[in-house]
């Protein structure tokens, strides 16, 4: 009984781990200006990286957001997002949750904090995508605590795109 149960548990976790990869978070040499609160975690991004992501979206044919965020680099912006949010208070929240933050986390271009502690890597789990899906759902987890850091979507065409070197 114990052997069969442990075999089932091992099979479950081995299938889950196949869709996971570790993403090393790069040092952001400039101070990030956009802060996303997601549960117990704070994700911070540079406006320059957000604008670069919007340019990549435009390059793949997605004209939903435009080529620039229009954010002032001398200001700080804070928003709060939730895992299964269907309503947004504004265009900026929707843009961050449905494309930008997910892409930047997958590229390692974010600063992630849990309280005062800064994370150096995250575990990225890509949900299975059907052939006709336009968006990929991706979850990010804390590698030590195994807690959800962030959950969002991004266009499938962006999955292997490179943000470029600053």
């Amino acid at each position: 009984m114990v052997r069969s149960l442990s075999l089932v548990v091992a099979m479950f976790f081995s299938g889950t781990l196949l869709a996971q990869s570790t993403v090393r978070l790069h040092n952001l040499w400039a101070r990030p200006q956009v802060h996303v609160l997601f549960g117990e975690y704070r994700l911070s991004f540079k406006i320059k990286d957000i604008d670069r992501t919007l340019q990549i979206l435009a390059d793949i044919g997605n004209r939903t957001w435009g080529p620039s965020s229009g954010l002032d680099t001398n200001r700080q912006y804070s928003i709060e997002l939730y895992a299964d949010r269907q309503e947004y208070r504004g265009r900026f929240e929707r843009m961050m949750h449905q494309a930008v933050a997910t892409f930047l986390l997958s590229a390692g271009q974010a600063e992630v904090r849990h309280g005062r502690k800064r994370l150096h890597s995250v575990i990225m789990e890509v949900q299975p995508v059907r052939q006709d899906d336009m968006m990929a759902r991706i979850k990010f987890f804390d590698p030590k605590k195994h807690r959800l850091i962030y959950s969002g979507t991004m266009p499938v065409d962006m999955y292997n795109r490179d943000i470029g070197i600053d």
Side-chain angles (χ1 to χ4, degrees):
M1 177 72 175
V2 172
R3 281 187 178 178
S4 62
L5 182 60
S6 62
L7 178 64
V8 170
V9 170
M11 288 173 49
F12 172 76
F13 284 116
S14 67
T16 303
L17 292 176
L18 291 176
Q20 292 182 345
S21 60
T22 301
V23 176
R24 188 177 66 80
L25 300 174
H26 306 288
N27 286 331
L28 301 181
W29 298 108
R31 181 169 286 205
Q33 302 100 337
V34 177
H35 309 283
V36 176
L37 302 174
F38 196 91
E40 301 174 13
Y41 293 88
R42 186 182 79 204
L43 296 75
S44 300
F45 306 97
K46 296 185 305 184
I47 292 174
K48 177 183 174 185
D49 292 339
I50 292 170
D51 287 342
R52 177 67 184 126
T53 302
L54 293 173
Q55 290 172 358
I56 292 170
L57 277 165
D59 290 347
I60 65 170
N62 186 329
R63 306 270 188 257
T64 306
W65 312 113
S68 173
S69 64
L71 300 175
D72 181 0
T73 56
N74 292 320
R75 290 188 55 203
Q76 297 289 312
Y77 299 89
S78 294
I79 60 173
E80 189 168 2
L81 296 176
Y82 304 96
D84 294 320
R85 177 172 243 172
Q86 299 297 320
E87 293 181 21
Y88 300 97
R89 285 181 272 175
R91 175 183 178 274
F92 181 63
E93 283 184 0
R94 185 169 171 240
M95 175 188 73
M96 289 300 290
H97 202 219
Q98 293 185 354
V100 176
T102 308
F103 176 71
L104 290 174
L105 269 171
S106 70
Q109 288 297 115
E111 182 179 279
V112 179
R113 291 190 178 270
H114 183 255
R116 290 184 167 213
K117 185 175 186 261
R118 184 173 163 258
L119 278 66
H120 298 283
S121 65
V122 294
I123 296 174
M124 180 174 75
E125 180 181 287
V126 180
Q127 304 297 310
V129 178
R130 295 185 310 253
Q131 189 172 11
D132 59 337
D133 284 344
M134 300 296 283
M135 301 294 276
R137 184 156 185 75
I138 301 175
K139 294 181 178 182
F140 296 89
F141 297 92
D142 186 328
K144 292 183 181 174
K145 298 183 182 209
H146 304 291
R147 291 184 183 160
L148 182 67
I149 293 173
Y150 183 78
S151 174
T153 60
M154 73 177 182
V156 173
D157 294 341
M158 289 184 73
Y159 184 68
N160 286 322
R161 294 289 175 142
D162 185 15
I163 194 166
I165 298 172
D166 356 46

